[in-house]
Amino acid sequence: MARKNASDDPLAPVTLAVGQEELLLDRAVREVVAAAKAADADTDVRDLTPDQLQPGTLAELVSPSLFAERKVVVVRNAQDLSADTVKDVKAYLSSPAEEITLVLLHAGGAKGKGLLDAARKAGAREVACPKMTKPADRLAFVRGEFRTAGRSATPEACQALVDAIGSDLRELASAVTQLVADVEGTIDEAVVGRYYTGRAEASSFTVADRAVEGRTAEALEALRWSLSTGVAPVLITSALAQGVRAIGKLSSARGGRPADLARELGMPPWKIDRVRQQMRGWTPDGVAVALRAVAEADAGVKGGGGDPEYALEKAVVTIARAARSRGRA
């Protein structure tokens, strides 16, 4: 979810939203606009792209009005502003106008860093909107959405929703909204399954779970269904890698309670229980073989081979066999 700095007043003279996660950037804008309209229902909102903010335009937008109206000026993709317009913005940052709230959306990174640094130096309120590339980040996002809605969802339900929906934050947020509206009481894994069964079957994590459990036929079926419904091959290799690494990490850890192991390995306690069930049949050599298979598949789907689908099928079969290696030792 978007992270904010200590000075968290949406009506601060300048808000700097940094990152590339579109949903979070849009929410940062909506929060400022909502606060401004709550203070003055007639607030004038100007939402601009770099090509619309030419040198001199900002001065016109922030000039005093005869009616002293509140105004929100949103500048998207601020890292793409021209050099002359950046000078205008920097000059404004040193002396922002009253009743005006400037919202700068910046992707972060090296491009346009001078403007980013200037806004921070000027004391802009900052909202972090990073791209959520890691499953753990998306899981935390879903948990936060339920908390914000004032509803309780089990850890398994949150994970099942991420597995079913995938990486699109807008779809995850929409799914949480639907569940909150339709379901009373605690939302559990069974509820998520009823709503999103078809999507869950297409999940890259379903492929990984079946593979590390040694269920070759089911893993291949899930793989083919995933690919046919548009799941990106790179997401599947990522899920396979996470599944095998979890087996390796837990098998090499000392025994203990799930909560203790969770802290040691950086996994939620419920996942410790799931991986323990999946570990049966695995050996250290099997883990090594599976990791090599994942690396080969990853290279294959990223252009190192001619057929990404074949590379994935080969990896799934190899991993499933490795999951049963103890019985063949």
Side-chain angles (χ1 to χ4, degrees), residues 260-296:
D260 295 333
L261 287 170
R263 285 192 294 270
E264 180 183 344
L265 303 178
M267 298 180 191
W270 65 264
K271 188 170 184 179
I272 297 291
D273 293 332
R274 176 182 289 184
V275 176
R276 271 179 168 166
Q277 295 173 358
Q278 294 173 334
M279 281 172 53
R280 298 164 186 160
W282 281 93
T283 65
D285 286 344
V287 172
V289 168
L291 287 173
R292 284 197 297 271
V294 170
E296 291 173 2

Coordinates of all heavy atoms in Angstrom, one line a residue, residues 260-296:
D260 N 8.2 -19.5 15.3 CA 9.7 -19.3 15.4 C 10.3 -19.5 14.0 O 11.2 -18.7 13.6 CB 10.3 -20.3 16.4 CG 9.8 -20.1 17.8 OD1 9.4 -18.9 18.1 OD2 9.7 -21.1 18.6
L261 N 9.9 -20.5 13.3 CA 10.5 -20.7 12.0 C 10.1 -19.6 11.0 O 10.9 -19.2 10.1 CB 10.0 -22.1 11.4 CG 10.6 -23.3 12.0 CD1 9.9 -24.6 11.6 CD2 12.1 -23.4 11.7
A262 N 8.9 -19.1 11.2 CA 8.4 -18.0 10.3 C 9.3 -16.8 10.5 O 9.7 -16.2 9.5 CB 7.0 -17.6 10.7
R263 N 9.7 -16.5 11.7 CA 10.6 -15.4 12.0 C 12.0 -15.6 11.4 O 12.6 -14.8 10.8 CB 10.7 -15.1 13.5 CG 9.5 -14.4 14.1 CD 9.8 -13.9 15.5 NE 10.0 -15.0 16.4 CZ 9.1 -15.6 17.1 NH1 7.8 -15.2 16.9 NH2 9.3 -16.6 17.9
E264 N 12.5 -16.9 11.5 CA 13.8 -17.2 11.0 C 13.9 -17.2 9.5 O 14.9 -16.8 8.9 CB 14.2 -18.6 11.6 CG 15.6 -19.1 11.1 CD 15.9 -20.5 11.6 OE1 15.1 -21.0 12.5 OE2 16.8 -21.1 11.1
L265 N 12.8 -17.7 8.9 CA 12.9 -17.9 7.4 C 12.1 -16.8 6.6 O 12.2 -16.8 5.4 CB 12.2 -19.2 7.0 CG 12.9 -20.5 7.7 CD1 12.1 -21.7 7.3 CD2 14.3 -20.6 7.3
G266 N 11.5 -15.9 7.3 CA 10.8 -14.8 6.7 C 9.5 -15.3 6.0 O 9.2 -14.7 4.9
M267 N 8.8 -16.3 6.5 CA 7.6 -16.8 5.9 C 6.5 -16.6 7.0 O 6.7 -16.6 8.2 CB 7.7 -18.3 5.6 CG 8.7 -18.7 4.6 SD 8.6 -20.5 4.4 CE 10.1 -20.8 3.4
P268 N 5.2 -16.4 6.5 CA 4.1 -16.4 7.5 C 3.9 -17.8 8.1 O 4.2 -18.8 7.4 CB 2.9 -16.0 6.6 CG 3.3 -16.3 5.3 CD 4.8 -16.1 5.2
P269 N 3.5 -17.9 9.4 CA 3.3 -19.2 10.0 C 2.5 -20.2 9.2 O 2.8 -21.4 9.2 CB 2.7 -18.8 11.4 CG 3.2 -17.4 11.6 CD 3.2 -16.8 10.3
W270 N 1.4 -19.7 8.6 CA 0.5 -20.6 7.9 C 1.3 -21.3 6.7 O 1.0 -22.4 6.4 CB -0.7 -19.9 7.4 CG -0.5 -18.8 6.3 CD1 -0.4 -17.5 6.6 CD2 -0.3 -19.0 4.9 NE1 -0.1 -16.8 5.4 CE2 -0.1 -17.8 4.4 CE3 -0.4 -20.1 4.1 CZ2 0.1 -17.6 3.0 CZ3 -0.2 -20.0 2.7 CH2 0.0 -18.7 2.2
K271 N 2.2 -20.5 6.1 CA 2.9 -21.1 5.0 C 3.9 -22.1 5.5 O 4.2 -23.1 4.7 CB 3.7 -20.0 4.2 CG 4.3 -20.5 2.9 CD 4.8 -19.3 2.1 CE 5.4 -19.9 0.8 NZ 5.9 -18.8 -0.1
I272 N 4.4 -22.0 6.7 CA 5.3 -23.0 7.2 C 4.6 -24.3 7.3 O 5.1 -25.4 6.9 CB 5.8 -22.6 8.7 CG1 6.6 -21.3 8.6 CG2 6.5 -23.8 9.3 CD1 8.0 -21.5 8.0
D273 N 3.3 -24.3 7.7 CA 2.5 -25.5 7.8 C 2.3 -26.1 6.4 O 2.4 -27.3 6.2 CB 1.2 -25.3 8.5 CG 1.3 -24.9 9.9 OD1 2.3 -25.4 10.6 OD2 0.5 -24.2 10.5
R274 N 2.0 -25.3 5.4 CA 1.8 -25.8 4.1 C 3.1 -26.4 3.5 O 3.0 -27.5 2.9 CB 1.3 -24.6 3.2 CG 1.1 -25.1 1.7 CD 0.7 -23.9 0.8 NE -0.7 -23.5 1.1 CZ -1.3 -22.6 0.4 NH1 -0.7 -22.0 -0.6 NH2 -2.6 -22.3 0.7
V275 N 4.2 -25.7 3.7 CA 5.4 -26.2 3.1 C 5.9 -27.5 3.8 O 6.4 -28.4 3.1 CB 6.6 -25.2 3.2 CG1 7.9 -25.7 2.7 CG2 6.2 -23.9 2.4
R276 N 5.6 -27.6 5.1 CA 5.9 -28.9 5.8 C 5.2 -30.1 5.1 O 5.7 -31.1 5.0 CB 5.5 -28.8 7.2 CG 6.6 -28.2 8.1 CD 6.2 -28.1 9.5 NE 7.3 -27.8 10.5 CZ 7.1 -27.4 11.7 NH1 5.9 -27.2 12.2 NH2 8.2 -27.2 12.5
Q277 N 3.9 -29.8 4.7 CA 3.2 -30.9 4.1 C 3.8 -31.2 2.7 O 3.8 -32.4 2.3 CB 1.7 -30.5 4.0 CG 1.0 -30.3 5.3 CD -0.4 -29.8 5.2 OE1 -0.8 -29.5 4.1 NE2 -1.1 -29.6 6.3
Q278 N 4.2 -30.2 2.0 CA 4.8 -30.4 0.7 C 6.2 -31.0 0.7 O 6.6 -31.5 -0.3 CB 4.8 -29.0 -0.1 CG 3.5 -28.4 -0.3 CD 3.6 -27.0 -0.9 OE1 4.5 -26.3 -0.6 NE2 2.5 -26.6 -1.6
M279 N 6.9 -31.0 1.8 CA 8.2 -31.4 1.9 C 8.4 -32.9 1.8 O 9.5 -33.4 1.5 CB 8.9 -31.0 3.2 CG 9.3 -29.5 3.2 SD 9.9 -29.0 4.9 CE 11.0 -30.3 5.3
R280 N 7.3 -33.7 2.0 CA 7.4 -35.1 2.1 C 7.9 -35.7 0.8 O 7.4 -35.4 -0.3 CB 6.1 -35.7 2.4 CG 5.6 -35.3 3.8 CD 4.1 -35.6 3.9 NE 3.5 -35.1 5.2 CZ 2.3 -34.9 5.4 NH1 1.4 -35.1 4.4 NH2 1.8 -34.4 6.6
G281 N 9.0 -36.4 0.8 CA 9.6 -37.0 -0.4 C 10.8 -36.3 -1.0 O 11.5 -36.8 -1.8
W282 N 11.0 -35.0 -0.4 CA 12.1 -34.2 -0.9 C 13.4 -34.6 -0.3 O 13.5 -35.0 0.9 CB 11.9 -32.8 -0.7 CG 10.9 -32.1 -1.7 CD1 9.6 -32.0 -1.6 CD2 11.3 -31.6 -3.0 NE1 9.0 -31.4 -2.7 CE2 10.1 -31.1 -3.6 CE3 12.5 -31.4 -3.7 CZ2 10.0 -30.5 -4.8 CZ3 12.4 -30.8 -4.9 CH2 11.2 -30.4 -5.5
T283 N 14.5 -34.5 -1.0 CA 15.9 -34.7 -0.5 C 16.7 -33.5 -0.9 O 16.3 -32.8 -1.8 CB 16.5 -36.0 -1.1 OG1 16.7 -35.8 -2.5 CG2 15.7 -37.2 -0.9
P284 N 17.8 -33.3 -0.3 CA 18.7 -32.2 -0.7 C 19.1 -32.2 -2.2 O 19.1 -31.2 -2.9 CB 19.9 -32.3 0.2 CG 19.4 -33.0 1.4 CD 18.3 -33.9 0.9
D285 N 19.4 -33.4 -2.7 CA 19.7 -33.6 -4.1 C 18.5 -33.2 -5.0 O 18.7 -32.6 -6.0 CB 20.1 -35.0 -4.4 CG 21.5 -35.3 -3.8 OD1 22.3 -34.4 -3.5 OD2 21.9 -36.5 -3.7
G286 N 17.3 -33.6 -4.5 CA 16.1 -33.3 -5.2 C 15.9 -31.8 -5.3 O 15.5 -31.2 -6.4
V287 N 16.2 -31.1 -4.3 CA 16.0 -29.6 -4.3 C 17.0 -29.0 -5.3 O 16.7 -28.1 -6.0 CB 16.3 -29.0 -2.9 CG1 16.4 -27.5 -2.9 CG2 15.2 -29.4 -1.9
A288 N 18.3 -29.5 -5.3 CA 19.3 -29.0 -6.2 C 18.8 -29.2 -7.7 O 19.0 -28.3 -8.5 CB 20.6 -29.7 -5.9
V289 N 18.3 -30.4 -7.9 CA 17.8 -30.7 -9.3 C 16.7 -29.8 -9.7 O 16.7 -29.3 -10.8 CB 17.4 -32.2 -9.4 CG1 16.6 -32.4 -10.7 CG2 18.6 -33.1 -9.3
A290 N 15.8 -29.6 -8.8 CA 14.6 -28.7 -9.1 C 15.0 -27.3 -9.3 O 14.5 -26.6 -10.2 CB 13.6 -28.8 -7.9
L291 N 16.0 -26.8 -8.5 CA 16.5 -25.4 -8.7 C 17.1 -25.2 -10.1 O 17.0 -24.2 -10.7 CB 17.4 -25.0 -7.6 CG 16.8 -24.8 -6.2 CD1 17.9 -24.5 -5.2 CD2 15.9 -23.5 -6.3
R292 N 17.9 -26.2 -10.5 CA 18.5 -26.2 -11.8 C 17.4 -26.2 -12.9 O 17.5 -25.4 -13.9 CB 19.4 -27.4 -12.1 CG 20.8 -27.2 -11.3 CD 21.8 -28.2 -11.9 NE 21.4 -29.6 -11.7 CZ 21.7 -30.3 -10.6 NH1 22.4 -29.7 -9.6 NH2 21.3 -31.6 -10.4
A293 N 16.4 -27.0 -12.7 CA 15.3 -27.0 -13.7 C 14.6 -25.6 -13.8 O 14.2 -25.2 -14.9 CB 14.3 -28.1 -13.3
V294 N 14.4 -25.0 -12.6 CA 13.8 -23.7 -12.6 C 14.6 -22.7 -13.4 O 14.2 -21.9 -14.2 CB 13.5 -23.2 -11.2 CG1 13.1 -21.8 -11.2 CG2 12.4 -24.1 -10.5
A295 N 15.9 -22.7 -13.1 CA 16.9 -21.8 -13.8 C 16.8 -22.0 -15.3 O 16.8 -21.0 -16.1 CB 18.3 -22.0 -13.2
E296 N 16.8 -23.2 -15.7 CA 16.7 -23.5 -17.2 C 15.4 -23.0 -17.8 O 15.4 -22.4 -18.9 CB 16.9 -25.0 -17.4 CG 18.3 -25.5 -17.1 CD 18.4 -27.0 -17.2 OE1 17.4 -27.7 -17.5 OE2 19.5 -27.6 -16.9

